[in-house]
Amino acid sequence: MPIRPPNILILMADQLTAGILRVYGNRVSKTPHIDTLANNGVVFNSAYCNSPLCAPSRTVFMTGRLPSNTGVYDNAAEFPSQSPTFAHYLRNAGYRTILAGKMHFCGPDQLHGFEERLTTDIYPADYGWTPDWTRFEYRPEWYHNMDSVSQAGPCTRTNQLDFDEEVAVAARQRLFDLARLRKHQQRPFCLVVSFTHPHDPFTIHETYWNRYKDDEIDMPQVSQPAMDAHSRRLRHVIGMNSQRITATQIHAARRAYYGAVSYIDDQLGALQQTLYDTKFADNTIIILLSDHGEMLGEHGLWYKMSFFEGASRIPMIIHCPQHFRSRHIQQPVSIADILPTLVELAGDGQQVSQYITPIDGHSLLSHLTGTNNDLNNETSVKGEYLAEGAIAPIVMLRRNRFKFIHSPVDPDQLFDLQNDPHELHNIAGEHNDLVSTFRSETYHHWGDLQLLHEQVLDSQRRRRFVAKALTTGTHTAWDWQPVRDARSMYVRSHIPLDDIEAMARFPSVPKSII
């Protein structure tokens, strides 16, 4: 571990499935910067989100705790301010914590431990997107629909491009600002740069659309629609039952998605170049990951909200070649493991005996240093889905070669990912003893899922009532409003001109000796 506390740069993509990247076996994507990062970094081959939806997954990322422990069940559930996050832990260790981009915090607290937030969010901070498990057939206007697929293609501009370009500029500018401050302030930084690409809608600027030719784009490997109960519900939720999608539209959506992945790759390259330009590169750990995946037509499904590999398996690459030798880690890990890993990295590798609140993740530091040689690690990755498309809690356990999915209202699912990587065969009916073992583990961890079911329903009812009340009269938004004080920018008359120019120049020039 470094003697100086390392800087940390986290690049989070949105809805980036692991299987789209060359490092995970894809042969279509054009991502030279991610490829180089992976070649010189620690690659986690079986990394998962713990809840395949934006806000719940990002809250797990921030807190190391599952949705059932934070109450952030869906994309409109309030993230309690009293929840300790890695931003709190790192600030407590002396770090400057900075967020640029999306984090989908719901509620009035839009910082959650970040000292600085450079941009607003792309999505609302209110309760407007609260699902209703008691009215499954009802499809509110904010649900996904298939327009993202049927209208896929190149564009000149979108909300998503507006947002991500603001995020990229703000993040790079902050790195330059920190470089100028370095001789006066020695605090290490943790900068989270969170882009909304390659999240749908499936459209991207022609520059990236044209990086791929039509005949380069692959089609889904498993086109046969999944027939399990949850997948059938998801087809209703995303509007597949009311809109026929053609092979041409699927092809265009996948081409646009590949283009958006290349766009993210270019953002990584620009950030890395800025680290070199600012002389931060040698002491900065880079972490690349996503909040969840994207089905992209596999199993006849799109978007996320499922524990199939496409939606729940994410890229996770940790890059610090000065201290961690490049390797691939086979054991299952999850986004819940990020908090304890960051805390130990910030603490010079020292293990934390007890966190302020119990966490569900485990430090990955032994994987990074190569001291974890237990290939038969029995640690399970735990997952929960408690949002739209479900009608009762859905839980998942991923251990060794198996993935077990359980809900009180659906038949159990068990997949052998070693022999059936595409999850075509549910073998729950063939392995009663193994299913019994997994069921015992789910009960040991979650207890009676009926209690969690009631807690989710209660939360939904409260939020729908509050959301309706807040539409009456004056509306007070919780959305983050970035502070930009133009009085202290560029050239201003209250500071001598030579001083302004000297402070802004990097690297600085020594004063002439007279």
Side-chain angles (χ1 to χ4, degrees):
M1 283 297 298
I3 297 175
R4 286 184 298 157
N7 299 310
I8 300 166
L9 172 67
I10 301 175
L11 190 155
M12 176 173 269
D14 194 348
Q15 213 159 294
L16 176 61
T17 187
I20 209 74
L21 299 178
R22 286 182 174 268
V23 65
Y24 295 109
N26 186 283
R27 289 296 173 260
V28 177
S29 60
K30 299 176 182 180
T31 52
H33 302 294
I34 295 176
D35 298 345
T36 301
L37 191 83
N39 289 339
N40 296 294
V42 180
V43 178
F44 293 86
N45 289 346
S46 299
Y48 290 85
C49 67
N50 305 87
S51 189
L53 194 66
C54 297
S57 182
R58 289 163 184 271
T59 304
V60 177
F61 163 68
M62 293 294 301
T63 64
R65 308 183 77 207
L66 293 174
S68 58
N69 290 325
T70 62
V72 182
Y73 306 129
D74 52 61
N75 277 344
E78 184 172 346
F79 185 176
S81 291
Q82 65 180 345
S83 302
T85 69
F86 70 74
H88 291 115
Y89 283 105
L90 294 189
R91 278 182 79 172
N92 210 37
Y95 274 71
R96 183 191 299 269
T97 54
I98 309 165
L99 170 62
K102 175 182 176 179
M103 203 48 68
H104 212 146
F105 294 149
C106 252
D109 186 349
Q110 290 294 302
L111 291 172
H112 290 287
F114 286 108
E115 187 174 346
E116 304 173 38
R117 187 167 188 181
L118 308 181
T119 69
T120 192
D121 211 301
I122 191 169
Y123 288 144
D126 57 32
Y127 298 152
W129 291 0
T130 301
D132 186 351
W133 280 4
T134 67
R135 301 173 64 200
F136 173 74
E137 294 301 324
Y138 172 63
R139 293 189 70 258
E141 57 82 21
W142 52 266
Y143 268 14
H144 275 85
N145 60 49
M146 295 308 293
D147 287 352
S148 286
V149 180
S150 65
Q151 299 174 11
C155 67
T156 299
R157 207 66 184 172
T158 60
N159 262 333
Q160 289 71 29
L161 285 168
D162 287 349
F163 183 79
D164 277 352
E165 294 197 8
E166 179 187 359
V167 170
V169 169
R172 294 182 64 229
Q173 183 61 53
R174 197 68 188 105
L175 286 171
F176 286 123
D177 293 341
L178 293 172
R180 292 171 177 135
L181 289 171
R182 183 163 39 197
K183 64 182 180 181
H184 304 293
Q185 299 183 23
Q186 296 296 321
R187 292 171 65 193
F189 65 80
C190 174
L191 171 61
V192 178
V193 186
S194 182
F195 296 102
T196 194
H197 284 87
H199 192 293
D200 61 288
F202 299 121
T203 181
I204 193 66
H205 193 276
E206 285 187 354
T207 302
Y208 294 95
W209 175 267
N210 291 333
R211 285 200 184 177
Y212 298 86
K213 298 177 182 178
D214 267 344
D215 59 5
E216 292 179 308
I217 304 303
D218 55 355
M219 293 294 276
Q221 297 182 66
V222 182
S223 57
Q224 184 68 27
M227 296 308 295
D228 63 278
H230 183 58
S231 295
R232 292 198 300 269
R233 288 192 296 266
L234 288 182
R235 279 194 282 277
H236 165 73
V237 166
I238 65 177
M240 290 193 72
N241 297 334
S242 58
Q243 189 173 354
R244 181 177 174 271
I245 299 299
T246 68
T248 300
Q249 291 167 337
I250 292 172
H251 185 275
R254 290 175 67 92
R255 180 173 175 177
Y257 186 84
Y258 274 112
V261 172
S262 290
Y263 175 84
I264 288 296
D265 184 72
D266 277 1
Q267 306 317 308
L268 170 63
L271 285 166
Q272 286 184 290
Q273 184 60 53
T274 306
L275 289 176
Y276 287 114
D277 291 344
T278 54
K279 310 296 190 283
F280 283 131
D282 288 344
N283 193 42
T284 298
I285 297 171
I286 301 175
I287 301 176
L288 174 76
L289 43 66
S290 180
D291 55 351
H292 50 74
E294 159 62 57
M295 289 303 295
L296 214 59
E298 299 291 347
H299 293 275
L301 295 172
W302 293 84
Y303 316 127
K304 54 267 186 172
M305 302 175 282
S306 168
F307 281 116
F308 279 128
E309 291 285 277
S312 63
R313 183 166 163 249
I314 60 172
M316 187 184 291
I317 303 168
I318 300 181
H319 175 272
C320 187
Q322 300 91 333
H323 302 288
F324 307 133
R325 183 175 58 82
S326 62
R327 56 172 63 84
H328 283 249
I329 306 300
Q330 303 299 333
Q331 292 99 321
V333 301
S334 80
I335 206 167
D337 300 330
I338 293 296
L339 179 144
T341 304
L342 292 177
V343 172
E344 291 193 7
L345 287 172
D348 199 24
Q350 298 300 310
Q351 289 188 343
V352 178
S353 59
Q354 187 173 5
Y355 287 88
I356 299 300
T357 55
I359 61 172
D360 296 299
H362 306 274
S363 173
L364 303 175
L365 193 58
S366 62
H367 290 302
L368 299 179
T369 58
T371 56
N372 186 333
N373 299 314
D374 184 5
L375 297 179
N376 298 311
N377 193 326
E378 288 290 318
T379 300
S380 294
V381 167
K382 299 176 178 65
E384 304 172 346
Y385 187 70
L386 306 167
E388 59 265 23
I391 56 175
I394 302 172
V395 298
M396 182 274 288
L397 293 171
R398 169 74 165 91
R399 186 172 65 243
N400 294 333
R401 56 198 266 195
F402 295 105
K403 181 194 291 181
F404 177 69
I405 303 167
H406 171 75
S407 176
V409 297
D410 297 332
D412 288 335
Q413 292 178 277
L414 179 66
F415 296 104
D416 180 345
L417 296 178
Q418 180 175 301
N419 295 316
D420 179 25
H422 298 305
E423 299 169 291
L424 294 171
H425 307 291
N426 177 11
I427 59 174
E430 306 165 24
H431 296 271
N432 293 333
D433 289 347
L434 188 54
V435 168
S436 179
T437 298
F438 276 119
R439 276 197 163 217
S440 296
E441 189 173 342
T442 62
Y443 184 81
H444 175 75
H445 182 79
W446 284 282
D448 185 358
L449 287 174
Q450 181 59 36
L451 176 59
L452 178 56
H453 191 162
E454 292 168 0
Q455 290 170 342
V456 172
L457 289 175
D458 285 344
S459 173
Q460 291 177 356
R461 280 192 290 267
R462 290 193 304 270
R463 287 181 281 135
R464 288 197 306 272
F465 172 79
V466 171
K468 182 180 179 182
L470 293 180
T471 63
T472 302
T474 302
H475 175 64
T476 302
W478 292 333
D479 306 289
W480 177 249
Q481 185 67 41
V483 176
R484 193 166 185 263
D485 187 0
R487 296 170 299 178
S488 59
M489 298 172 64
Y490 308 122
V491 178
R492 296 294 182 263
S493 60
H494 65 284
I495 303 176
L497 180 59
D498 286 349
D499 291 349
I500 291 175
E501 301 295 7
M503 288 187 295
R505 182 163 175 172
F506 182 85
S508 60
V509 178
K511 290 184 177 181
S512 300
I513 300 176
I514 299 176

